[in-house]
């Protein structure tokens, strides 16, 4: 019995010593964190973790300063820089009755086609008796750029675990309007994400800088909804509808084909011909677009345009 007690004491001392090393030595954290994350079989890997400064505050608070790391997903690298990371009540992860608290400030992310500026993350992490980690918290981001598109003033409430993340009450400013909704991110399944978003009063004119060839031909304030299931490399399904009432415009040149159906001497035809020659716009009383995925590589689009002035009532479906 005495030897058993001695053995238990040695194990306890070794555990405490190991925890002390982790909490006080940044080189230990730089090795252990990537090792632990990468063995979780997630769809991402952590590499090249570097910490400029680590400060331990007894008994279980740690502050990391000027942190950088690389997150690799499907052979694409995302480089992260974090000004400060505060971890409080670390020992709660061992006890499991109360959460540990994590706060990240001034998060910057850059990759070949994506950028995050001035991110802030606040999380509570709690371990269960079954070894499951639960997370809850809040995120804010000043700017997110994906390709040529930009979202600003982003916020969301976070819940879930290390495998499935839920971003509820998502809000973002988007080209004169707003996006509101929810995002689910499955980090163990090829980083599959599901998006349900409401589109509120987005100004198509402001999108012209993103895609001039398309958005220069239409104007208006758009509302609608979007449901997408995708991975970073492919869209698996999409269902969306957008509409613009009393504010929509379309380049008259795109309606050139309608001239053959309008009486030659009518005022509508003369007005439309004049607008086409002057590269003008036709004002729409109503406009709507519905998009639905038929297969992984095929979309169905239904376009409806109505203008009382030009006796225009278009309802066409295109498969692309």
């Amino acid at each position: 019995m005495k030897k058993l007690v001695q053995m238990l004491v040695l194990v306890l001392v070794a555990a405490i010593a190991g925890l002390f090393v982790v909490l006080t030595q940044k080189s230990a954290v730089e090795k252990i964190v990537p090792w632990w994350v990468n063995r979780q079989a997630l769809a991402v890997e952590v590499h090249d973790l570097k910490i400029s400064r680590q400060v331990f505050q007894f008994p279980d608070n740690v502050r990391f300063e000027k942190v950088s790391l690389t997150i690799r997903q499907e052979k694409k690298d995302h480089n992260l820089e974090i000004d400060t990371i505060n971890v409080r009540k670390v020992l709660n992860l061992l006890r499991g009755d109360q959460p540990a608290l994590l706060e990240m400030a001034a998060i910057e992310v850059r990759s070949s086609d994506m950028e995050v500026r001035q991110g802030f993350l606040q999380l509570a992490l709690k371990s269960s008796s079954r070894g499951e980690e639960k997370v809850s918290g809040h995120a804010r981001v000043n700017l997110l750029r994906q390709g040529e598109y930009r979202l600003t003033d982003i916020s969301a409430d976070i819940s879930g675990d290390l495998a499935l993340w839920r971003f509820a009450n998502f809000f973002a400013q988007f080209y004169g309007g707003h996006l509101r909704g929810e995002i689910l991110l499955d980090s163990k399944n090829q980083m599959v994400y599901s998006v349900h978003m409401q589109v509120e009063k987005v100004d198509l004119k402001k999108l012209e800088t993103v895609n001039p060839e398309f958005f220069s031909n239409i104007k208006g304030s758009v509302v609608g909804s979007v449901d997408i299931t995708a991975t970073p490399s492919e869209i698996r399904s999409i269902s969306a509808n957008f509409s613009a009432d009393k504010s929509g415009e379309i380049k008259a040149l795109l309606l050139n084909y309608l001239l053959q159906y309008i009486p030659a001497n009518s005022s509508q035809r003369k007005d439309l011909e004049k607008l086409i020659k002057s590269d003008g716009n036709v004002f729409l009383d109503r406009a709507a677009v519905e998009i639905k995925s038929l297969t992984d590589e095929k979309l169905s689009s239904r376009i409806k345009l109505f203008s009382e002035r030009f006796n225009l009532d278009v309802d066409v479906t295109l498969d692309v």
Side-chain angles (χ1 to χ4, degrees):
M1 178 62 73
K2 184 177 180 180
K3 290 185 177 180
L4 178 60
V5 172
Q6 291 175 338
M7 183 65 69
L8 291 175
V9 170
L10 288 174
V11 171
L12 180 60
V13 170
I16 293 174
L19 181 61
F20 180 78
V21 169
V22 171
L23 293 176
T24 59
Q25 300 296 319
K26 65 179 185 179
S27 58
V29 177
E30 289 173 344
K31 295 177 181 178
I32 291 173
V33 170
W35 172 82
W36 182 82
V37 172
N38 295 341
R39 70 189 294 268
Q40 302 303 309
L42 303 175
V44 297
E45 297 177 353
V46 172
H47 299 275
D48 303 323
L49 174 61
K50 301 295 181 185
I51 302 168
S52 294
R53 187 166 182 258
Q54 178 174 330
V55 180
F56 170 62
Q57 297 173 320
F58 186 84
D60 57 355
N61 297 335
V62 190
R63 177 183 175 90
F64 305 96
E65 298 177 357
K66 305 298 181 184
V67 178
S68 65
L69 66 149
T70 297
I71 293 181
R72 186 165 298 152
Q73 198 273 324
E74 291 187 353
K75 299 182 179 180
K76 177 181 287 187
D77 286 350
H78 302 272
N79 300 313
L80 277 72
E81 294 181 357
I82 307 168
D83 189 65
T84 58
I85 302 176
N86 287 311
V87 186
R88 291 181 288 129
K89 302 184 182 300
V90 177
L91 293 179
N92 283 349
L93 291 174
L94 302 178
R95 291 192 287 260
D97 56 337
Q98 295 293 325
L101 304 176
L102 172 69
E103 184 178 285
M104 298 183 184
I107 304 169
E108 306 278 332
V109 184
R110 291 179 179 84
S111 67
S112 59
D113 59 354
M114 190 268 283
E115 180 181 8
V116 171
R117 294 182 191 170
Q118 286 300 306
F120 176 83
L121 182 64
Q122 205 169 39
L123 289 178
L125 302 93
K126 187 175 181 180
S127 295
S128 69
S129 58
R130 297 187 298 273
E132 298 173 341
E133 290 82 13
K134 297 295 182 181
V135 298
S136 62
H138 186 76
R140 298 194 312 270
V141 173
N142 280 5
L143 172 93
L144 168 63
R145 178 185 62 81
Q146 181 65 50
E148 298 299 323
Y149 293 90
R150 292 170 176 254
L151 286 75
T152 58
D153 298 328
I154 304 164
S155 63
D157 296 323
I158 301 172
S159 62
D161 53 41
L162 292 180
L164 185 63
W165 295 71
R166 179 173 180 253
F167 298 85
N169 301 316
F170 180 94
F171 174 87
Q173 302 275 2
F174 186 69
Y175 296 94
H178 307 111
L179 301 179
R180 299 178 189 270
E182 179 179 275
I183 300 173
L184 293 176
L185 178 62
D186 186 346
S187 60
K188 279 204 170 184
N189 184 19
Q190 297 182 310
M191 200 61 79
V192 175
Y193 59 90
S194 301
V195 177
H196 174 68
M197 208 63 60
Q198 296 294 320
V199 180
E200 302 175 359
K201 298 181 179 180
V202 172
D203 187 350
L204 297 179
K205 177 65 176 177
K206 294 185 176 182
L207 281 163
E208 190 173 339
T209 57
V210 177
N211 188 339
E213 185 177 352
F214 179 77
F215 288 108
S216 63
N217 293 315
I218 54 175
K219 295 180 181 179
S221 179
V222 170
V223 299
S225 64
V226 182
D227 289 279
I228 299 174
T229 300
T231 69
S233 59
E234 65 173 349
I235 295 178
R236 295 184 174 180
S237 67
I238 181 171
S239 176
N241 64 82
F242 307 101
S243 64
D245 293 339
K246 299 295 184 181
S247 65
E249 300 178 36
I250 187 171
K251 281 288 184 183
L253 183 61
L254 298 179
L255 303 178
N256 187 56
Y257 76 98
L258 293 176
L259 288 176
Q260 59 184 312
Y261 302 109
I262 302 175
N265 296 321
S266 66
S267 61
Q268 289 98 334
R269 176 156 182 162
K270 291 178 181 179
D271 289 344
L272 185 55
E273 287 176 336
K274 184 178 180 180
L275 286 171
I276 291 172
K277 290 179 180 179
S278 64
D279 196 31
N281 294 337
V282 171
F283 290 87
L284 301 170
D285 297 294
R286 290 193 305 276
V289 177
E290 298 175 10
I291 302 171
K292 185 180 298 183
S293 56
L294 301 177
T295 66
D296 290 347
E297 299 179 351
K298 193 173 183 179
L299 292 175
S300 175
S301 301
R302 185 181 182 184
I303 302 171
K304 295 185 283 187
L305 306 173
F306 177 76
S307 174
E308 186 175 356
R309 173 68 186 86
F310 291 96
N311 194 27
L312 174 67
D313 191 357
V314 176
D315 188 343
V316 296
T317 299
L318 305 173
D319 292 341
V320 295

